[in-house]
């Protein structure tokens, strides 16, 4: 059985890309992307909206392009792999 690890996100940037450099000098960009779901509540008839935030990390040349062309409020279409990272905060 084949496996696919691919995600597509169409949303808006919540802030300008955060840019940093690795020790080897490669660029890394972190994006905060908002996606929305809108629907009409069946009971009240009011329009509802739910916003989901996604943290996206870009590397190398793609990070350089993001730094040059992207800004808060821009609409972006992103396609890539999902990777879950785990960490332990100060309280354990």
């Amino acid at each position: 059985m084949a496996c696919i690890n691919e995600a597509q996100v169409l949303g808006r940037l919540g802030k300008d890309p955060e840019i940093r450099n690795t020790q080897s000098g490669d660029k890394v960009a972190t994006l905060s992307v908002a996606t929305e779901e809108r629907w009409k509540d069946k009971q009240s008839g009011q329009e509802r909206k739910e916003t989901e935030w996604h943290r996206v990390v870009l590397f190398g040349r793609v990070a350089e392009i993001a730094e040059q062309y992207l800004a808060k409020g821009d609409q972006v279409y992103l396609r890539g792999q999902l990777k879950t990272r785990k960490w332990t905060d100060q309280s354990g």
Side-chain angles (χ1 to χ4, degrees), residues 4-33:
I4 297 174
N5 180 3
E6 183 177 73
Q8 297 179 38
V9 176
L10 175 63
R12 294 208 175 264
L13 294 181
K15 57 185 174 179
D16 290 341
E18 296 174 16
I19 307 297
R20 62 186 190 280
N21 293 309
T22 63
Q23 290 180 351
S24 64
D26 293 330
K27 294 229 181 215
V28 178
T30 303
L31 307 179
S32 182
V33 182

Side-chain angles (χ1 to χ4, degrees), residues 28-81:
V28 178
T30 303
L31 307 179
S32 182
V33 182
T35 56
E36 285 185 352
E37 180 181 2
R38 294 175 185 255
W39 71 95
K40 190 174 243 184
D41 188 290
K42 290 181 182 179
Q43 292 180 340
S44 68
Q46 292 182 337
E47 186 173 308
R48 301 278 185 181
K49 148 176 118 164
E50 186 173 298
T51 302
E52 193 76 31
W53 287 93
H54 310 273
R55 182 180 170 98
V56 179
V57 181
L58 309 173
F59 298 94
R61 180 70 181 128
V62 179
E64 292 173 16
I65 293 168
E67 178 182 32
Q68 186 175 2
Y69 293 105
L70 297 181
K72 178 180 178 178
D74 287 347
Q75 187 174 43
V76 293
Y77 170 74
L78 304 160
R79 192 170 126 195
Q81 295 179 339

Side-chain angles (χ1 to χ4, degrees), residues 87-92:
W87 67 91
T88 304
D89 66 5
Q90 293 175 349
S91 64

